[in-house]
Amino acid sequence: QVQLVESGGGLVQAGGSLRLSCAASGRTFNRYDMGWFRQAPGKEREFVAAISWSGGSTRYAGSVKGRFTISRDNAKNTADLQMNSLNPEDTAVYYCAADPSRVSDTARYWGQGTQVTVSS
């Protein structure tokens, strides 16, 4: 069982940065792929970024590639999402997810979400 808690969301102006953090409980955190997803009002949840259990492999949605960076610290049981050059289209609730295999929108474990609002 893994419990995930996101933090770091908030209000930022366009062009600004935020760093989201996902704290995980459980002894086997380093065996899970971790991912970030987001859901904007009136839209379906979409994939943002993912990182393999070892941290050696990352994936990004095309809309955030080059602006967002996902990382993890298995010693601290955390997975972070550094978001730079934010624009209003990045406004959404951001969710952390974990899965023992490749993380996707059907991931086994989810956090409660953290709101990110980017003003123009």
Side-chain angles (χ1 to χ4, degrees), residues 2 4 22-24 29 32-37 47 49-53 59 70-72 74 77-79 96-99 101 103:
V2 175
L4 306 173
C22 176
F29 173 78
Y32 287 84
D33 269 22
M34 300 296 297
W36 286 92
F37 295 76
F47 169 77
I51 187 166
S52 62
W53 65 269
R59 296 180 283 132
I70 189 170
S71 61
R72 68 188 295 161
N74 287 339
N77 281 12
T78 58
C96 177
D99 198 276
S101 61
V103 70

Side-chain angles (χ1 to χ4, degrees), residues 97-116:
D99 198 276
S101 61
R102 183 180 174 92
V103 70
S104 69
D105 61 2
T106 59
R108 184 175 299 183
Y109 302 109
W110 292 87
Q112 82 289 349
T114 186
Q115 177 70 47
V116 172

Side-chain angles (χ1 to χ4, degrees), residues 36-84:
W36 286 92
F37 295 76
R38 67 187 182 186
Q39 187 167 21
K43 296 187 177 181
E44 293 187 354
R45 186 170 60 195
E46 64 175 0
F47 169 77
V48 175
I51 187 166
S52 62
W53 65 269
S54 68
S57 176
T58 57
R59 296 180 283 132
Y60 296 94
S63 59
V64 308
K65 199 168 187 177
R67 300 188 297 124
F68 291 11
T69 301
I70 189 170
S71 61
R72 68 188 295 161
D73 186 334
N74 287 339
K76 296 181 178 179
N77 281 12
T78 58
D80 292 353
L81 184 69
Q82 176 66 43
M83 306 186 294
N84 298 329

Side-chain angles (χ1 to χ4, degrees), residues 12 17-18 20-21 23 26 34 44 47 60 91 94-95 98 104 111:
V12 64
S17 298
L18 278 176
L20 305 183
S21 187
M34 300 296 297
E44 293 187 354
F47 169 77
Y60 296 94
T91 295
Y94 283 70
Y95 298 91
S104 69

